[in-house]
Amino acid sequence: MNTIIFILMLCAALTTPDKMIVIFGRPQGDSTSKISLDFMSCVDYCQKLDSCMAVYSASEADDCHVFDVGQLSEVTETDKSDGQKVAFKMNTTMCYESSEDNSMITDGPPNQICNITNTNGIWKFTPCPSCPSNFTMFTRPKGKWCIGVVPTIPFVTNPEAESLCQTNYGGVLSGLENVDEYNHIIDVVIPMLGSPLWSAWTTVGFWINGQRKEACKTQKSSLCNTTAGFDFTDPLLSANPTGYIWGVGQPSGGGTFNSSCLHFSFNTSTRMTQSVDDYTCTVNTSSTGNAGFAGYICGVVPS
């Protein structure tokens, strides 16, 4: 009962969606720092700090341990007489009548806590899945997917790009699920087009997911000139993705073994996209010498 009253008293005092849930308990994990504040002042401090997920105080000590997001994995409830107190954030607009009722799963952003559960007095905190640095998370019908634009020096072939994506990030070349993903890549690449490394090149391309079907290497048809003419290994790509927006007259390599891979093309002079194009997989520059494959679009499942 003491635990229940303590939770309700603090919840009633807060009006923001992030409530500070307070229980008598001891934490499992290493705190970021220790500050000289009484417990309730420390709770207020944590409430206002985005990076803070929890605070802890032993007995009536005038110092408080601060836990950043991800540093606290578990809290064990204790008896009030033990004197140990833990306060942690929960993204909720409600306060419940018991610590068990305060268990909650939230669909939070990266670097936040998504899953909070309480079983037999053991509170567990699971961080939200996150993306590698400089990747962006997207929500697809099949699940969450991280996409990163990765420029390379020197230029790369499609097999080299696939290998780099797998080796460096554990991923595959990303497909384009929808227009949002298509536009995101444009937004990331356009500022790069002023790079002096690319000044000698009229066009630069970034390899993306897609390999021409074997049947479409020997024939030209209306089907081969759509995404239906390609196989995809992006595991979360829909059967009919809408993000493959083709350049003018593209794809143009149906009926030939020389144009089986896909890239996202950009004009360095106009600093505009030329959309999706098909080209020879095993080259890192065009036969005319004015276009180079300057990187790849890597995709990974958040972890």
Side-chain angles (χ1 to χ4, degrees), residues 107-111 128-132 134-140 143-148 181 184 300-303:
D107 186 20
N111 301 320
C128 299
S130 61
C131 296
N134 297 322
F135 279 56
T136 299
M137 188 183 297
F138 291 87
T139 301
R140 294 177 169 183
K144 294 188 182 299
W145 186 244
C146 301
I147 294 179
E181 294 182 6
H184 168 72
V300 299
V301 175
S303 59

PDB file of all heavy atoms in Angstrom, residues 107-111 128-132 134-140 143-148 181 184 300-303:
ATOM      1  N   ASP A 107       5.420   3.307 -28.025  1.00  0.00           N
ATOM      2  CA  ASP A 107       6.109   3.303 -29.319  1.00  0.00           C
ATOM      3  C   ASP A 107       6.908   4.590 -29.416  1.00  0.00           C
ATOM      4  O   ASP A 107       6.555   5.512 -30.130  1.00  0.00           O
ATOM      5  CB  ASP A 107       5.093   3.199 -30.455  1.00  0.00           C
ATOM      6  CG  ASP A 107       5.763   3.055 -31.821  1.00  0.00           C
ATOM      7  OD1 ASP A 107       6.941   2.669 -31.848  1.00  0.00           O
ATOM      8  OD2 ASP A 107       5.100   3.333 -32.827  1.00  0.00           O
ATOM      9  N   GLY A 108       7.992   4.663 -28.702  1.00  0.00           N
ATOM     10  CA  GLY A 108       8.762   5.899 -28.598  1.00  0.00           C
ATOM     11  C   GLY A 108       9.809   6.030 -29.678  1.00  0.00           C
ATOM     12  O   GLY A 108      10.066   5.108 -30.439  1.00  0.00           O
ATOM     13  N   PRO A 109      10.449   7.172 -29.744  1.00  0.00           N
ATOM     14  CA  PRO A 109      11.500   7.414 -30.727  1.00  0.00           C
ATOM     15  C   PRO A 109      12.797   6.742 -30.306  1.00  0.00           C
ATOM     16  O   PRO A 109      12.912   6.226 -29.195  1.00  0.00           O
ATOM     17  CB  PRO A 109      11.650   8.945 -30.695  1.00  0.00           C
ATOM     18  CG  PRO A 109      11.279   9.298 -29.285  1.00  0.00           C
ATOM     19  CD  PRO A 109      10.190   8.337 -28.895  1.00  0.00           C
ATOM     20  N   PRO A 110      13.812   6.732 -31.201  1.00  0.00           N
ATOM     21  CA  PRO A 110      15.108   6.189 -30.808  1.00  0.00           C
ATOM     22  C   PRO A 110      15.642   6.902 -29.565  1.00  0.00           C
ATOM     23  O   PRO A 110      15.337   8.065 -29.320  1.00  0.00           O
ATOM     24  CB  PRO A 110      15.987   6.490 -32.027  1.00  0.00           C
ATOM     25  CG  PRO A 110      15.032   6.601 -33.161  1.00  0.00           C
ATOM     26  CD  PRO A 110      13.781   7.194 -32.577  1.00  0.00           C
ATOM     27  N   ASN A 111      16.434   6.185 -28.794  1.00  0.00           N
ATOM     28  CA  ASN A 111      17.040   6.697 -27.562  1.00  0.00           C
ATOM     29  C   ASN A 111      16.020   6.948 -26.460  1.00  0.00           C
ATOM     30  O   ASN A 111      16.274   7.686 -25.522  1.00  0.00           O
ATOM     31  CB  ASN A 111      17.852   7.970 -27.832  1.00  0.00           C
ATOM     32  CG  ASN A 111      18.952   7.731 -28.833  1.00  0.00           C
ATOM     33  OD1 ASN A 111      19.606   6.698 -28.804  1.00  0.00           O
ATOM     34  ND2 ASN A 111      19.145   8.679 -29.728  1.00  0.00           N
ATOM     35  N   CYS A 128      13.990   1.573 -27.004  1.00  0.00           N
ATOM     36  CA  CYS A 128      13.445   1.465 -28.354  1.00  0.00           C
ATOM     37  C   CYS A 128      14.538   1.041 -29.321  1.00  0.00           C
ATOM     38  O   CYS A 128      15.708   1.375 -29.131  1.00  0.00           O
ATOM     39  CB  CYS A 128      12.890   2.815 -28.822  1.00  0.00           C
ATOM     40  SG  CYS A 128      11.558   3.472 -27.821  1.00  0.00           S
ATOM     41  N   PRO A 129      14.183   0.325 -30.379  1.00  0.00           N
ATOM     42  CA  PRO A 129      15.169   0.029 -31.416  1.00  0.00           C
ATOM     43  C   PRO A 129      15.726   1.326 -31.993  1.00  0.00           C
ATOM     44  O   PRO A 129      15.014   2.331 -32.109  1.00  0.00           O
ATOM     45  CB  PRO A 129      14.347  -0.735 -32.468  1.00  0.00           C
ATOM     46  CG  PRO A 129      13.171  -1.271 -31.724  1.00  0.00           C
ATOM     47  CD  PRO A 129      12.860  -0.242 -30.667  1.00  0.00           C
ATOM     48  N   SER A 130      16.994   1.318 -32.347  1.00  0.00           N
ATOM     49  CA  SER A 130      17.617   2.520 -32.891  1.00  0.00           C
ATOM     50  C   SER A 130      18.397   2.189 -34.151  1.00  0.00           C
ATOM     51  O   SER A 130      18.684   1.029 -34.444  1.00  0.00           O
ATOM     52  CB  SER A 130      18.547   3.166 -31.855  1.00  0.00           C
ATOM     53  OG  SER A 130      19.592   2.276 -31.500  1.00  0.00           O
ATOM     54  N   CYS A 131      18.733   3.226 -34.894  1.00  0.00           N
ATOM     55  CA  CYS A 131      19.472   3.088 -36.155  1.00  0.00           C
ATOM     56  C   CYS A 131      20.944   3.439 -35.958  1.00  0.00           C
ATOM     57  O   CYS A 131      21.294   4.144 -35.008  1.00  0.00           O
ATOM     58  CB  CYS A 131      18.885   4.026 -37.206  1.00  0.00           C
ATOM     59  SG  CYS A 131      17.171   3.661 -37.679  1.00  0.00           S
ATOM     60  N   PRO A 132      21.800   2.964 -36.864  1.00  0.00           N
ATOM     61  CA  PRO A 132      23.194   3.418 -36.819  1.00  0.00           C
ATOM     62  C   PRO A 132      23.270   4.935 -36.977  1.00  0.00           C
ATOM     63  O   PRO A 132      22.335   5.577 -37.472  1.00  0.00           O
ATOM     64  CB  PRO A 132      23.837   2.712 -38.023  1.00  0.00           C
ATOM     65  CG  PRO A 132      22.940   1.551 -38.314  1.00  0.00           C
ATOM     66  CD  PRO A 132      21.561   1.998 -37.948  1.00  0.00           C
ATOM     67  N   ASN A 134      23.735   8.481 -38.356  1.00  0.00           N
ATOM     68  CA  ASN A 134      23.492   9.067 -39.681  1.00  0.00           C
ATOM     69  C   ASN A 134      22.504   8.264 -40.523  1.00  0.00           C
ATOM     70  O   ASN A 134      22.371   8.520 -41.719  1.00  0.00           O
ATOM     71  CB  ASN A 134      24.802   9.273 -40.453  1.00  0.00           C
ATOM     72  CG  ASN A 134      25.718  10.259 -39.763  1.00  0.00           C
ATOM     73  OD1 ASN A 134      25.265  11.257 -39.203  1.00  0.00           O
ATOM     74  ND2 ASN A 134      27.015   9.981 -39.772  1.00  0.00           N
ATOM     75  N   PHE A 135      21.820   7.291 -39.926  1.00  0.00           N
ATOM     76  CA  PHE A 135      20.720   6.602 -40.589  1.00  0.00           C
ATOM     77  C   PHE A 135      19.411   7.184 -40.068  1.00  0.00           C
ATOM     78  O   PHE A 135      19.356   7.737 -38.967  1.00  0.00           O
ATOM     79  CB  PHE A 135      20.755   5.104 -40.298  1.00  0.00           C
ATOM     80  CG  PHE A 135      21.723   4.320 -41.144  1.00  0.00           C
ATOM     81  CD1 PHE A 135      23.073   4.660 -41.194  1.00  0.00           C
ATOM     82  CD2 PHE A 135      21.292   3.222 -41.874  1.00  0.00           C
ATOM     83  CE1 PHE A 135      23.967   3.932 -41.953  1.00  0.00           C
ATOM     84  CE2 PHE A 135      22.182   2.472 -42.637  1.00  0.00           C
ATOM     85  CZ  PHE A 135      23.527   2.825 -42.680  1.00  0.00           C
ATOM     86  N   THR A 136      18.351   7.045 -40.853  1.00  0.00           N
ATOM     87  CA  THR A 136      17.030   7.536 -40.462  1.00  0.00           C
ATOM     88  C   THR A 136      16.044   6.384 -40.445  1.00  0.00           C
ATOM     89  O   THR A 136      16.057   5.536 -41.348  1.00  0.00           O
ATOM     90  CB  THR A 136      16.544   8.625 -41.433  1.00  0.00           C
ATOM     91  OG1 THR A 136      17.458   9.735 -41.394  1.00  0.00           O
ATOM     92  CG2 THR A 136      15.153   9.125 -41.051  1.00  0.00           C
ATOM     93  N   MET A 137      15.198   6.351 -39.417  1.00  0.00           N
ATOM     94  CA  MET A 137      14.230   5.264 -39.285  1.00  0.00           C
ATOM     95  C   MET A 137      12.929   5.594 -40.001  1.00  0.00           C
ATOM     96  O   MET A 137      12.412   6.704 -39.885  1.00  0.00           O
ATOM     97  CB  MET A 137      13.951   4.976 -37.814  1.00  0.00           C
ATOM     98  CG  MET A 137      13.102   3.729 -37.589  1.00  0.00           C
ATOM     99  SD  MET A 137      12.706   3.444 -35.827  1.00  0.00           S
ATOM    100  CE  MET A 137      14.348   3.184 -35.146  1.00  0.00           C
ATOM    101  N   PHE A 138      12.425   4.608 -40.736  1.00  0.00           N
ATOM    102  CA  PHE A 138      11.136   4.719 -41.408  1.00  0.00           C
ATOM    103  C   PHE A 138      10.241   3.573 -40.960  1.00  0.00           C
ATOM    104  O   PHE A 138      10.712   2.486 -40.642  1.00  0.00           O
ATOM    105  CB  PHE A 138      11.311   4.677 -42.931  1.00  0.00           C
ATOM    106  CG  PHE A 138      11.986   5.897 -43.499  1.00  0.00           C
ATOM    107  CD1 PHE A 138      13.366   5.970 -43.571  1.00  0.00           C
ATOM    108  CD2 PHE A 138      11.238   6.974 -43.935  1.00  0.00           C
ATOM    109  CE1 PHE A 138      14.007   7.100 -44.081  1.00  0.00           C
ATOM    110  CE2 PHE A 138      11.859   8.108 -44.443  1.00  0.00           C
ATOM    111  CZ  PHE A 138      13.241   8.173 -44.514  1.00  0.00           C
ATOM    112  N   THR A 139       8.937   3.826 -40.943  1.00  0.00           N
ATOM    113  CA  THR A 139       7.970   2.794 -40.608  1.00  0.00           C
ATOM    114  C   THR A 139       7.320   2.294 -41.890  1.00  0.00           C
ATOM    115  O   THR A 139       6.640   3.044 -42.583  1.00  0.00           O
ATOM    116  CB  THR A 139       6.897   3.312 -39.643  1.00  0.00           C
ATOM    117  OG1 THR A 139       7.534   3.768 -38.440  1.00  0.00           O
ATOM    118  CG2 THR A 139       5.909   2.219 -39.299  1.00  0.00           C
ATOM    119  N   ARG A 140       7.560   1.034 -42.191  1.00  0.00           N
ATOM    120  CA  ARG A 140       6.988   0.395 -43.373  1.00  0.00           C
ATOM    121  C   ARG A 140       5.862  -0.547 -42.943  1.00  0.00           C
ATOM    122  O   ARG A 140       5.763  -0.901 -41.773  1.00  0.00           O
ATOM    123  CB  ARG A 140       8.064  -0.400 -44.113  1.00  0.00           C
ATOM    124  CG  ARG A 140       9.165   0.444 -44.732  1.00  0.00           C
ATOM    125  CD  ARG A 140      10.220  -0.456 -45.367  1.00  0.00           C
ATOM    126  NE  ARG A 140      11.166   0.285 -46.200  1.00  0.00           N
ATOM    127  CZ  ARG A 140      12.133  -0.290 -46.906  1.00  0.00           C
ATOM    128  NH1 ARG A 140      12.299  -1.617 -46.851  1.00  0.00           N
ATOM    129  NH2 ARG A 140      12.939   0.440 -47.657  1.00  0.00           N
ATOM    130  N   GLY A 143       7.392  -3.317 -41.070  1.00  0.00           N
ATOM    131  CA  GLY A 143       8.168  -3.033 -39.872  1.00  0.00           C
ATOM    132  C   GLY A 143       9.046  -1.811 -40.028  1.00  0.00           C
ATOM    133  O   GLY A 143       9.046  -1.145 -41.074  1.00  0.00           O
ATOM    134  N   LYS A 144       9.812  -1.527 -38.993  1.00  0.00           N
ATOM    135  CA  LYS A 144      10.688  -0.357 -39.013  1.00  0.00           C
ATOM    136  C   LYS A 144      11.990  -0.669 -39.763  1.00  0.00           C
ATOM    137  O   LYS A 144      12.531  -1.763 -39.654  1.00  0.00           O
ATOM    138  CB  LYS A 144      10.977   0.106 -37.579  1.00  0.00           C
ATOM    139  CG  LYS A 144       9.734   0.628 -36.870  1.00  0.00           C
ATOM    140  CD  LYS A 144      10.063   1.246 -35.535  1.00  0.00           C
ATOM    141  CE  LYS A 144       8.794   1.718 -34.831  1.00  0.00           C
ATOM    142  NZ  LYS A 144       8.078   2.743 -35.599  1.00  0.00           N
ATOM    143  N   TRP A 145      12.503   0.340 -40.470  1.00  0.00           N
ATOM    144  CA  TRP A 145      13.646   0.164 -41.357  1.00  0.00           C
ATOM    145  C   TRP A 145      14.529   1.407 -41.286  1.00  0.00           C
ATOM    146  O   TRP A 145      14.026   2.532 -41.301  1.00  0.00           O
ATOM    147  CB  TRP A 145      13.142  -0.049 -42.778  1.00  0.00           C
ATOM    148  CG  TRP A 145      14.168  -0.380 -43.822  1.00  0.00           C
ATOM    149  CD1 TRP A 145      14.492   0.378 -44.913  1.00  0.00           C
ATOM    150  CD2 TRP A 145      14.971  -1.566 -43.918  1.00  0.00           C
ATOM    151  NE1 TRP A 145      15.441  -0.263 -45.677  1.00  0.00           N
ATOM    152  CE2 TRP A 145      15.758  -1.458 -45.078  1.00  0.00           C
ATOM    153  CE3 TRP A 145      15.100  -2.702 -43.123  1.00  0.00           C
ATOM    154  CZ2 TRP A 145      16.664  -2.443 -45.464  1.00  0.00           C
ATOM    155  CZ3 TRP A 145      15.997  -3.684 -43.511  1.00  0.00           C
ATOM    156  CH2 TRP A 145      16.762  -3.551 -44.660  1.00  0.00           C
ATOM    157  N   CYS A 146      15.833   1.194 -41.170  1.00  0.00           N
ATOM    158  CA  CYS A 146      16.795   2.300 -41.115  1.00  0.00           C
ATOM    159  C   CYS A 146      17.454   2.471 -42.478  1.00  0.00           C
ATOM    160  O   CYS A 146      17.913   1.497 -43.083  1.00  0.00           O
ATOM    161  CB  CYS A 146      17.877   2.021 -40.079  1.00  0.00           C
ATOM    162  SG  CYS A 146      17.280   1.761 -38.407  1.00  0.00           S
ATOM    163  N   ILE A 147      17.537   3.706 -42.942  1.00  0.00           N
ATOM    164  CA  ILE A 147      18.144   3.998 -44.241  1.00  0.00           C
ATOM    165  C   ILE A 147      19.271   5.005 -44.061  1.00  0.00           C
ATOM    166  O   ILE A 147      19.105   6.044 -43.414  1.00  0.00           O
ATOM    167  CB  ILE A 147      17.101   4.562 -45.236  1.00  0.00           C
ATOM    168  CG1 ILE A 147      16.052   3.482 -45.552  1.00  0.00           C
ATOM    169  CG2 ILE A 147      17.760   5.054 -46.513  1.00  0.00           C
ATOM    170  CD1 ILE A 147      14.962   3.950 -46.495  1.00  0.00           C
ATOM    171  N   GLY A 148      20.421   4.699 -44.659  1.00  0.00           N
ATOM    172  CA  GLY A 148      21.569   5.589 -44.601  1.00  0.00           C
ATOM    173  C   GLY A 148      22.158   5.825 -45.977  1.00  0.00           C
ATOM    174  O   GLY A 148      22.308   4.890 -46.775  1.00  0.00           O
ATOM    175  N   GLU A 181      10.605   7.919 -48.560  1.00  0.00           N
ATOM    176  CA  GLU A 181      11.978   7.436 -48.584  1.00  0.00           C
ATOM    177  C   GLU A 181      12.732   8.012 -49.784  1.00  0.00           C
ATOM    178  O   GLU A 181      13.902   8.404 -49.670  1.00  0.00           O
ATOM    179  CB  GLU A 181      12.003   5.907 -48.609  1.00  0.00           C
ATOM    180  CG  GLU A 181      11.468   5.286 -47.331  1.00  0.00           C
ATOM    181  CD  GLU A 181      11.529   3.778 -47.310  1.00  0.00           C
ATOM    182  OE1 GLU A 181      12.093   3.176 -48.255  1.00  0.00           O
ATOM    183  OE2 GLU A 181      11.028   3.172 -46.350  1.00  0.00           O
ATOM    184  N   HIS A 184      13.534  11.584 -48.956  1.00  0.00           N
ATOM    185  CA  HIS A 184      14.562  11.672 -47.911  1.00  0.00           C
ATOM    186  C   HIS A 184      15.954  11.554 -48.514  1.00  0.00           C
ATOM    187  O   HIS A 184      16.866  12.316 -48.142  1.00  0.00           O
ATOM    188  CB  HIS A 184      14.344  10.567 -46.881  1.00  0.00           C
ATOM    189  CG  HIS A 184      15.493  10.401 -45.942  1.00  0.00           C
ATOM    190  ND1 HIS A 184      15.789  11.309 -44.943  1.00  0.00           N
ATOM    191  CD2 HIS A 184      16.475   9.442 -45.866  1.00  0.00           C
ATOM    192  CE1 HIS A 184      16.869  10.915 -44.286  1.00  0.00           C
ATOM    193  NE2 HIS A 184      17.295   9.791 -44.831  1.00  0.00           N
ATOM    194  N   VAL A 300      19.090  -1.233 -42.855  1.00  0.00           N
ATOM    195  CA  VAL A 300      19.218  -2.215 -41.783  1.00  0.00           C
ATOM    196  C   VAL A 300      17.956  -2.208 -40.923  1.00  0.00           C
ATOM    197  O   VAL A 300      17.252  -1.197 -40.833  1.00  0.00           O
ATOM    198  CB  VAL A 300      20.455  -1.941 -40.888  1.00  0.00           C
ATOM    199  CG1 VAL A 300      21.726  -2.013 -41.682  1.00  0.00           C
ATOM    200  CG2 VAL A 300      20.323  -0.590 -40.196  1.00  0.00           C
ATOM    201  N   VAL A 301      17.692  -3.325 -40.279  1.00  0.00           N
ATOM    202  CA  VAL A 301      16.629  -3.394 -39.298  1.00  0.00           C
ATOM    203  C   VAL A 301      17.138  -2.747 -38.006  1.00  0.00           C
ATOM    204  O   VAL A 301      18.250  -3.038 -37.554  1.00  0.00           O
ATOM    205  CB  VAL A 301      16.230  -4.859 -39.031  1.00  0.00           C
ATOM    206  CG1 VAL A 301      15.190  -4.941 -37.919  1.00  0.00           C
ATOM    207  CG2 VAL A 301      15.701  -5.500 -40.310  1.00  0.00           C
ATOM    208  N   PRO A 302      16.393  -1.827 -37.404  1.00  0.00           N
ATOM    209  CA  PRO A 302      16.851  -1.194 -36.159  1.00  0.00           C
ATOM    210  C   PRO A 302      17.052  -2.221 -35.059  1.00  0.00           C
ATOM    211  O   PRO A 302      16.376  -3.246 -34.999  1.00  0.00           O
ATOM    212  CB  PRO A 302      15.727  -0.203 -35.816  1.00  0.00           C
ATOM    213  CG  PRO A 302      14.535  -0.685 -36.581  1.00  0.00           C
ATOM    214  CD  PRO A 302      15.045  -1.354 -37.813  1.00  0.00           C
ATOM    215  N   SER A 303      18.019  -1.940 -34.193  1.00  0.00           N
ATOM    216  CA  SER A 303      18.323  -2.877 -33.118  1.00  0.00           C
ATOM    217  C   SER A 303      18.452  -2.142 -31.793  1.00  0.00           C
ATOM    218  O   SER A 303      18.518  -0.935 -31.740  1.00  0.00           O
ATOM    219  CB  SER A 303      19.619  -3.621 -33.435  1.00  0.00           C
ATOM    220  OG  SER A 303      20.693  -2.713 -33.579  1.00  0.00           O
TER     221      SER A 303
END
